[in-house]
Amino acid sequence: MLLTSGQISMAISSSVVFMFTFLLFLSGYVLQQQTVRSLQAVIKPQPIVVPPPSPVLAKHFGTPPGHSFYDKYLASNRPKGGWAKVAYVQLVREHLHVCNVLMLFAVLEEQDSMAQRVIMYPKEWDASTPGALDPQIETSRRLLRNAAKSYKVMLQPVEPMLKAGEQSTFPLAGLLSLTAYNRVIHLVPSGLVLDTSGLDHLFTLPMESDMLGISAGTVDGAASPSVVLLKPSKNAFQTTMESLSAMKYDEEDLLSRMPLLPDLPEDQVHIVAKTSGLRHEDDSFNATAFLDSTSYVHMSDPETLGPEFDAPRESLASVIPKRSEPKRAWQEVYERYREMRMDVCGLDLEPAPKPGKENLSQSQQRP
C-alpha cells in the first residue's frame, strides 16, 4: 500500500514533535533531580568542624594559658591604644651594633610583630659625605637604609644630650621623649630574638614606674636588665633628664638603679636569658626547651669581646659551659648569630684584636 504525500508529511511531523517532547521531558527531569539534590544538601545537618588551637595564642611565654602569673594581664593581646601606640626602639651609638639591630628587626618582621619599629642613631652619620670618610659609616648607612626598606623601620637621627666620659651621648632615658607611643621596649645589645610573642605581650603589662627592667638573673653579680620597658611622657622625660644632667652620665649606673620586674619561676616565664648564665645550669637543663621558650637571649659573656668578633677557640675555654646541654644551647645561639649576621647584613664576624693589643676602641668594648 503506497502512502500518500499527506501521510508522509504527517509521519515526519509526528516524529519531530515526539523527539522534541522527549528532549523537553528529559531536560526537565535532569533539572528536577539537581534541585532535589540541592535541597537535600541544604536540609542535611553539616558536621561541626572544631578548628585546631592557635599555636601562637596558646604559647604565650612558653606555657599554656592559665599557668602564668601574667595571665590576668594578658586577657587581651591588644595593647592600650592599639599597636600603633607601642614600639620597639633601638638606640644605636656604635657602628658595631647596627647589624645586630637589623637582625632583631628582621625577626620581628618574620614573626609578624605588629608593634612599630624605630632606630635612633647619631645625626652626625648623616652629615658625612658618602665615599669620603670611614667605610664603617657607609656600611652603617647601607644597613639603616635596608632596615627602613625591608623591615618597616622608622629612622630617627638624634643629637647628643649628655656628657659621658670624654664624649657626649644620647642617653637611654631619652627614649622617654617619644610621647607618640604609650609604651616602648628597648633590647640591650647584643642578642637574638627567638620568639616575639613573649616580648609583644610585655606591651600589655601594667607599669608603676616610668622605666622598668627585666633581668635574666644575678649569676654575674648585681642584676642588670637585658630588656627595658619605658612609659614615655613629657614630665617623665624632663624629670629624668634633670636628674641625669646634674652628674656625669653613666648608663651602666642607670641600668643598675632601674626597678626590675620581680623574678618568677623559670618553668612559668621565659622572657630573657643571658648566655653567661648557661654555665651555671645543672644536668636538668634542656637545650631544646631553652631555645623554644626564650624570647630574647642577651649574649653577654664579660670575658669576651662580644658575638660580633671571631674570637680564637682557646679564648673561649672559660666561657663555654661544661655540661653538654648548656654547652649545646650556648653554641647554637652563637652559631645562629653568626649565620644571621651574614644573611641579614652580608657581614662576616669581625677579626679579633691581636693578643696584647690594648686600648680597644669604644666600639669594641662590651656594653
Side-chain angles (χ1 to χ4, degrees):
M1 177 181 176
L2 299 175
L3 297 176
T4 64
S5 60
Q7 290 173 328
I8 293 174
S9 299
M10 179 64 70
I12 294 174
S13 300
S14 298
S15 300
V16 171
V17 171
F18 175 81
M19 182 178 63
F20 278 101
T21 302
F22 176 78
L23 292 175
L24 182 62
F25 168 80
L26 185 62
S27 62
Y29 177 80
V30 172
L31 290 174
Q32 182 189 44
Q33 293 302 309
Q34 290 179 344
T35 303
V36 170
R37 284 195 294 269
S38 299
L39 291 174
Q40 288 175 340
V42 173
I43 296 174
K44 183 180 178 180
Q46 298 295 318
I48 299 176
V49 179
V50 179
S54 169
V56 176
L57 297 181
K59 189 170 184 180
H60 285 277
F61 290 106
T63 58
H67 294 79
S68 171
F69 171 82
Y70 294 108
D71 281 349
K72 61 182 179 180
Y73 301 126
L74 303 180
S76 171
N77 291 321
R78 186 174 183 270
K80 180 181 178 181
W83 290 102
K85 299 294 289 183
V86 296
Y88 290 96
V89 180
Q90 292 302 111
L91 177 59
V92 182
R93 303 187 184 96
E94 301 292 337
H95 298 291
L96 185 68
H97 293 146
V98 177
C99 177
N100 185 224
V101 170
L102 253 72
M103 292 161 58
L104 301 178
F105 286 134
V107 179
L108 294 177
E109 174 68 13
E110 179 183 358
Q111 298 189 14
D112 297 321
S113 171
M114 297 178 65
Q116 307 302 301
R117 303 156 201 172
V118 180
I119 294 178
M120 305 176 75
Y121 64 96
K123 189 174 183 179
E124 62 183 20
W125 291 1
D126 286 341
S128 304
T129 303
L133 293 178
D134 194 330
Q136 283 189 323
I137 294 182
E138 294 190 26
T139 299
S140 294
R141 284 178 165 182
R142 172 180 66 82
L143 295 176
L144 290 173
R145 287 194 299 268
N146 188 27
K149 178 180 178 181
S150 302
Y151 307 126
K152 305 180 181 67
V153 176
M154 291 173 281
L155 304 178
Q156 182 172 335
V158 294
E159 299 203 14
M161 301 174 63
L162 291 177
K163 192 76 172 176
E166 299 299 323
Q167 299 180 344
S168 297
T169 187
F170 187 92
L172 182 61
L175 272 60
L176 290 170
S177 65
L178 302 177
T179 55
Y181 304 107
N182 294 332
R183 187 71 55 84
V184 163
I185 288 180
H186 173 77
L187 305 176
V188 179
S190 296
L192 280 180
V193 172
L194 302 181
D195 177 23
T196 61
S197 61
L199 295 172
D200 282 346
H201 282 308
L202 293 178
F203 288 118
T204 68
L205 292 182
M207 287 181 61
E208 296 182 358
S209 59
D210 299 317
M211 301 179 69
L212 178 66
I214 301 178
S215 174
T218 59
V219 293
D220 295 318
S224 179
S226 299
V227 177
V228 179
L229 284 76
L230 302 100
K231 186 168 60 175
S233 70
K234 183 177 179 180
N235 181 62
F237 173 68
Q238 291 178 341
T239 303
T240 304
M241 293 306 297
E242 287 174 1
S243 65
L244 293 177
S245 61
M247 54 186 176
K248 183 178 291 186
Y249 178 68
D250 184 344
E251 190 151 294
E252 288 297 324
D253 180 62
L254 173 68
L255 292 173
S256 65
R257 292 187 289 109
M258 188 178 299
L260 296 178
L261 190 72
D263 291 334
L264 294 169
E266 294 182 359
D267 60 346
Q268 290 186 359
V269 177
H270 301 276
I271 301 175
V272 62
K274 278 188 176 181
T275 50
S276 59
L278 291 174
R279 71 188 78 171
H280 302 282
E281 296 291 345
D282 57 25
D283 293 332
S284 64
F285 180 85
N286 184 289
T288 301
F290 170 82
L291 295 170
D292 288 343
S293 63
T294 305
S295 293
Y296 179 64
V297 180
H298 185 188
M299 302 174 72
S300 175
D301 293 287
E303 299 90 339
T304 67
L305 290 171
E308 297 86 0
F309 291 92
D310 187 12
R313 185 176 297 274
E314 58 272 13
S315 68
L316 301 176
S318 62
V319 177
I320 300 178
K322 306 303 181 184
R323 293 182 173 87
S324 60
E325 283 294 290
K327 180 179 180 180
R328 182 165 73 89
W330 190 96
Q331 291 176 330
E332 176 69 16
V333 168
Y334 271 80
E335 180 61 19
R336 288 189 190 183
Y337 188 98
R338 183 191 67 80
E339 292 178 353
M340 196 171 185
R341 180 177 165 90
M342 175 59 70
D343 293 341
V344 173
C345 307
L347 298 176
D348 204 347
L349 296 179
E350 299 287 338
K354 295 181 180 180
K357 185 177 180 179
E358 299 180 354
N359 300 322
L360 298 176
S361 67
Q362 184 176 357
S363 64
Q364 295 176 329
Q365 297 285 356
R366 294 295 296 134

